[in-house]
Amino acid sequence: MQAYSLIAPAKINLYLEIIGDRPDGYHELAMILQSIDLADQIDLRANGTEQIRVHCDDPQIPTDSSNLTYKAAALMAKQFPQTYSKFGGVDITIHKRIPMGAGLAGGSTDAAAVLIGMDLMWKLGLTQIEIQEMAAQLGSDIPFCVSGGTAIATGRGEQLAPLPSVDFLYAVLAKYRSLGISTPWAYKTYRQQFSQSYVSGDNLLQRRQRVHSGEIVAAIQQRDGKRIGQLLHNDLEKVVLPAYPQVEGLRRILAEFNPLGVMMSGSGSTVFALVESKAQAEQIRQQLKTALPDPDLGVWTTRLSANGIQLVH
Ligand code: C5P
């Protein structure tokens, strides 16, 4: 078959702890990553040329070689040059639903879909682990996007341990559409302000292990939505909220509607409220729209998901 369509879900962070510095310049992290139903669709079509071409229905998304989907296709071409010369290039069409600069891994999940789709299109038969190794070369959270669901992520974010699904929970996502936050800026600022709390050596290994026996993992294993809500955590809030009062304001207002918990996702600018039902998610969406009638404010209701990249056809 020469064409494939894939569903590429966004993620939220139920937990994000910055533990220390890494020799490669990245941070050592302990996270719990969670797929959500909000998703892009990626269409792939062999184009019989030598080119990789990216198309997107959102004009704000760059379609040149800086797009992560382009980089994913270029990495496949580099790794499998003979297959590339046999099958030729690819047209990648992104149907964009996940907001960008949002801390929702929108670009990362699209790249994960391209790796999986090209593996199918080129009949390579790669294992999930092989695809995730390639994914890690493109970005820290792309290996998670490949498998999705609920997972502990350590190291740069690429070391994954699956957790039981919490897809009985829902979330309300809120983001000012024009406000994107740079992830490198957030981590750099955190290092400037908090590196005195970083641990190294054996302490680092212990802290990495500690998340596995942590309270929020126990709450997930017990399917205790209320407790999960109380234990949401994100170290990056310490630098993002003071610098972006709009995000802080969104977080404060969402908390007033009594969800299970409220937290910023990744490096922002999305804030999410965790809730027990679709009806409660819809109610909070309405309450937020009434409290903040700003056309720039995007509000989405979504279900937590057990799925990573899914093939449509
Ligand atoms: O890996 P990715 O390209 O998604 O990371 C984006 C940026 O986030 C990196 O350039 C780095 O500044 C920061 N980062 C980090 N430590 C991690 C993951 C990301 O410092 N473990």
Side-chain angles (χ1 to χ4, degrees), residues 6-12 33-42 95-99 103-113 116 141-142 144-149 173 302-312:
L6 302 107
I7 298 294
K11 64 90 182 146
I12 53 175
L33 300 175
Q34 174 63 57
S35 300
I36 55 177
D37 269 354
L38 177 68
D40 292 341
Q41 184 179 320
I42 303 292
H95 303 275
K96 201 76 200 149
R97 301 290 169 270
I98 306 169
L104 298 174
S108 295
T109 193
D110 296 348
I116 290 174
D141 54 8
I142 306 181
F144 168 77
C145 295
V146 169
S147 46
L173 314 178
T302 186
R303 187 177 173 154
L304 275 50
S305 164
N307 299 323
I309 306 298
Q310 299 286 300
L311 187 64
V312 184

Side-chain angles (χ1 to χ4, degrees), residues 139-216:
S140 307
D141 54 8
I142 306 181
F144 168 77
C145 295
V146 169
S147 46
T150 311
I152 298 173
T154 51
R156 262 171 66 207
E158 86 292 10
Q159 307 276 339
L160 300 170
L163 288 171
S165 174
V166 285
D167 60 0
F168 54 94
L169 294 173
Y170 292 77
V172 184
L173 314 178
K175 177 189 183 289
Y176 288 101
R177 293 178 199 274
S178 61
L179 177 64
I181 295 176
S182 152
T183 303
W185 170 85
Y187 279 100
K188 192 179 75 190
T189 309
Y190 192 89
R191 183 182 279 125
Q192 280 163 1
Q193 294 183 16
F194 295 101
S195 60
Q196 76 282 1
S197 68
Y198 287 6
V199 297
S200 55
D202 286 350
N203 288 341
L204 199 142
L205 287 176
Q206 272 172 19
R207 285 279 287 278
R208 189 197 263 200
Q209 279 309 315
R210 201 170 71 186
V211 67
H212 290 264
S213 51
E215 281 186 274
I216 187 163

Side-chain angles (χ1 to χ4, degrees), residues 76 79-80 83-84 87 115 118-127 130 134:
M76 290 293 277
Q79 295 275 94
F80 304 101
T83 319
Y84 178 43
F87 285 93
L115 294 178
M118 287 184 70
D119 170 57
L120 294 169
M121 204 160 75
W122 286 0
K123 301 180 177 36
L124 293 167
L126 297 174
T127 63
E130 286 168 333
M134 291 181 69

Side-chain angles (χ1 to χ4, degrees), residues 232-254:
L232 298 173
H233 177 82
N234 184 347
D235 273 339
L236 289 173
E237 284 199 338
K238 293 180 209 161
V239 292
V240 174
L241 299 187
Y244 292 93
Q246 274 182 301
V247 181
E248 200 272 330
L250 262 186
R251 195 190 188 295
R252 191 163 18 85
I253 291 171
L254 273 173

